[in-house]
Amino acid sequence: MIDKKFTVTEESTSKHPHDWGRAMAVAISRLTDLAREAGDPVHDEALIGEELQLFVADTENGVNITMSWTPGEQGTPPAETPARPAEGIAEEDGGSGR
């Protein structure tokens, strides 16, 4: 993969973090779209294990969510320890958290 940095900004019409999910999801999906447009043969799963940067900027009616991604070398695991499963999710109950 070519060493590039991709940045996308999406708007949320709320200043409350619990309402920002859609804007964040769209921004994250657009990162791989930009990489493909730049000629990199990536798929959405390419973001798994990658570090994404988040910047939240105040606007008059909400916030702008900016996500940035500098793709790592494919097949190279991150130097940091892998993410743990979210608390309350148990394998034996199918991940329902109940």
Side-chain angles (χ1 to χ4, degrees), residues 34-51:
L34 286 177
R36 281 190 291 274
E37 290 171 13
D40 294 337
V42 299
H43 47 82
D44 292 336
E45 290 82 13
L47 295 175
I48 296 172
E50 291 287 315
E51 184 174 316

Side-chain angles (χ1 to χ4, degrees), residues 5-57:
K5 181 175 183 177
F6 301 102
T7 301
V8 175
T9 300
E10 288 292 324
E11 182 180 2
S12 174
T13 56
S14 173
K15 294 192 185 283
H16 302 285
H18 64 270
D19 294 329
W20 300 344
R22 185 198 153 282
M24 291 178 66
V26 171
I28 291 168
S29 293
R30 288 189 53 214
L31 290 174
T32 52
D33 292 344
L34 286 177
R36 281 190 291 274
E37 290 171 13
D40 294 337
V42 299
H43 47 82
D44 292 336
E45 290 82 13
L47 295 175
I48 296 172
E50 291 287 315
E51 184 174 316
L52 304 178
Q53 295 178 320
L54 170 69
F55 183 79
V56 181

